Amino acid sequence: FVRKAVSAIGRCAVKLERAAERCIGVLLDLIQTKVNYVVQESVIVIKDIFRRYPNRYESIIATLCDNLDTLDEPLAKASMIWIIGEYAERIDNADELLDTFLETFEEEDPVVQLQLL
């Protein structure tokens, strides 16, 4: 249920530009709960928001990077890798963050491996 709710918030942000700012705020609040599956679903939908509104909400990237260690689902990892790659020039330690994924490349799910490539 919670995953569907987070996903719905993301869809609202993507489809309703005037609601995007508020949705980002709600997603950030959800990330602050540190509940593993909530954080992971939030990262997935934030990637979609970044794709829809490029260069608009980069201020939240640091918060996403702070929660990198909680990601264990392949789709969440792939989404975070996409965000790091897309905004690498705004992330001081982007190479180090990607290195954490590269260390386990062979054990990663194919979706994560492809995103790393």
Side-chain angles (χ1 to χ4, degrees):
F1 174 75
V2 175
R3 287 180 186 273
K4 288 184 179 182
V6 173
S7 181
I9 293 168
R11 282 194 310 274
C12 285
V14 168
K15 293 182 183 207
L16 303 170
E17 186 172 355
R18 60 193 167 129
E21 185 91 28
R22 176 74 177 124
C23 292
I24 288 286
V26 170
L27 290 168
L28 284 176
D29 290 342
L30 289 171
I31 289 172
Q32 298 304 324
T33 67
K34 302 285 188 196
V35 176
N36 188 301
Y37 58 90
V38 174
V39 172
Q40 295 191 89
E41 191 65 32
S42 296
V43 168
I44 293 167
V45 301
I46 287 172
K47 178 209 48 154
D48 294 336
I49 295 168
F50 280 171
R51 290 179 70 185
R52 175 70 170 89
Y53 308 108
N55 303 316
R56 190 180 287 179
Y57 299 108
E58 305 100 35
S59 59
I60 70 169
I61 293 173
T63 303
L64 298 177
C65 291
D66 290 343
N67 289 280
L68 192 67
D69 57 337
T70 63
L71 304 180
D72 56 16
E73 292 181 13
L75 200 52
K77 287 181 178 183
S79 296
M80 193 63 208
I81 291 165
W82 182 88
I83 292 168
I84 294 168
E86 196 68 20
Y87 295 94
E89 69 279 354
R90 294 178 183 87
I91 303 171
D92 294 334
N93 61 338
D95 57 334
E96 294 170 18
L97 295 175
L98 289 176
D99 278 346
T100 61
F101 293 107
L102 290 172
E103 290 170 3
T104 58
F105 182 83
E106 292 181 8
E107 293 86 41
E108 294 290 355
D109 198 82
V111 70
V112 176
Q113 291 176 340
L114 288 171
Q115 192 63 53
L116 280 165
L117 295 175

